[in-house]
Amino acid sequence: MEFITYEQEGYVGIVTINRPKALNALNSQVLEELDATFKAIDLDATRAVILTGAGEKSFVAGADIGEMSTLTKAEGEAFGKKGNDVFRMIETFPIPVIAAVNGFALGGGCEISMSCDIRICSENAVFGQPEVGLGITPGFGGTQRLARLVGPGMAKQMIYTARNIKADEAYRIGLVNAVYPLEELMEAAKKMAAGIAMQAPIAVRNCKKAINDGLEADMDQAIVIEEKLFGDCFETEDQKAGMGNFLEKDKEKKLKVVPFQNK
Ligand code: CAA
């Protein structure tokens, strides 16, 4: 891997996009390496993933403008599909992915953060979809996920005006869950990931699937999706241990961490 680093800290995987000379912009190679990195994650040993960018200035400054500048219509569409396929793989990754947005999250950078389950950012983060200023549309999911996350009115304003927003505004409109000083961002992301990793892993995965799949269905179908994934948790070792632990009269035992089995 030239542009992606992967670290494993206990049950937490940390994926870092590392192309600082181009502010971590996404060219084809970065997209391919991201895809391969996620697909290589050991899902028996990992319960949450953090996605971040190398350096102190940029999370991801977008798709690579140099690479896109000479594309034909057909090549442009294929490049959009390449990004969309990788981002959809992240969105539907079986375990939660937290974006730790450490600076610029523009165009494809904002879009990849939106394919993650949760976004937190540093105070110097800047979000935006500047594509119309470059003569193109957001092409890695921005026209779809931004409206779903912050509502169509705000998404259209951001996309049509190509105006960037700072961390406090991203927080105000619900694009990020929390803002931290840059030096505290990764610790906060790791703490959140560790908090997820302590929970019953099958239940967490099923929650992600229920929320994602349910949002794409109408309510009648969505509650059936929930029922199936709820039922799926029963008879697991985690469900027996988790509930048994609660029902123990001994307070110490009740509070002990359940040795979740992932099966
Ligand atoms: N693609 C390619 N290279 C990029 C890049 C990008 N998206 N963003 C930054 N870089 C490169 C610059 O070309 C520069 O390289 P050189 O040193 O070789 O000249 C290097 O990164 C540093 O960038 P700047 O000198 O511009 O740094 P700055 O601090 O002055 O500005 C910035 C930072 C405001 C983020 C500015 O770099 C910028 O506006 N970048 C482009 C942001 C953008 O428009 N992103 C959307 C891309 S389109 C897209 O993503 C389409 C889609 O939906 C799929």
Side-chain angles (χ1 to χ4, degrees), residues 128-129 146 154-163 165 173:
Q129 298 290 163
L146 189 59
M154 186 57 78
K156 286 176 175 176
Q157 181 179 326
M158 281 179 66
I159 290 171
Y160 298 167
T161 63
R163 188 177 67 86
I165 60 171
I173 66 172

Side-chain angles (χ1 to χ4, degrees), residues 34-89:
L34 258 177
D35 192 54
T37 302
F38 271 88
K39 286 181 175 159
I41 291 175
D42 178 355
L43 289 171
D44 288 328
T46 314
R47 296 181 181 179
V49 175
I50 298 169
L51 176 68
T52 193
E56 299 190 341
K57 183 171 170 182
S58 184
F59 171 67
V60 171
D64 191 294
I65 298 171
E67 181 172 341
M68 287 186 294
S69 62
T70 56
L71 299 183
T72 62
K73 281 184 195 293
E75 288 166 344
E77 190 176 331
F79 189 61
K81 178 167 168 41
K82 188 168 209 155
N84 271 337
D85 286 351
V86 177
F87 291 14
R88 185 71 177 145
M89 179 273 298

Side-chain angles (χ1 to χ4, degrees), residues 21-23 25 57 61-65 68 107-108 111 130-131 134 138-140:
K21 280 186 185 155
L23 301 183
K57 183 171 170 182
D64 191 294
I65 298 171
M68 287 186 294
E111 291 167 306
E131 286 88 348
L134 296 164
F140 289 171

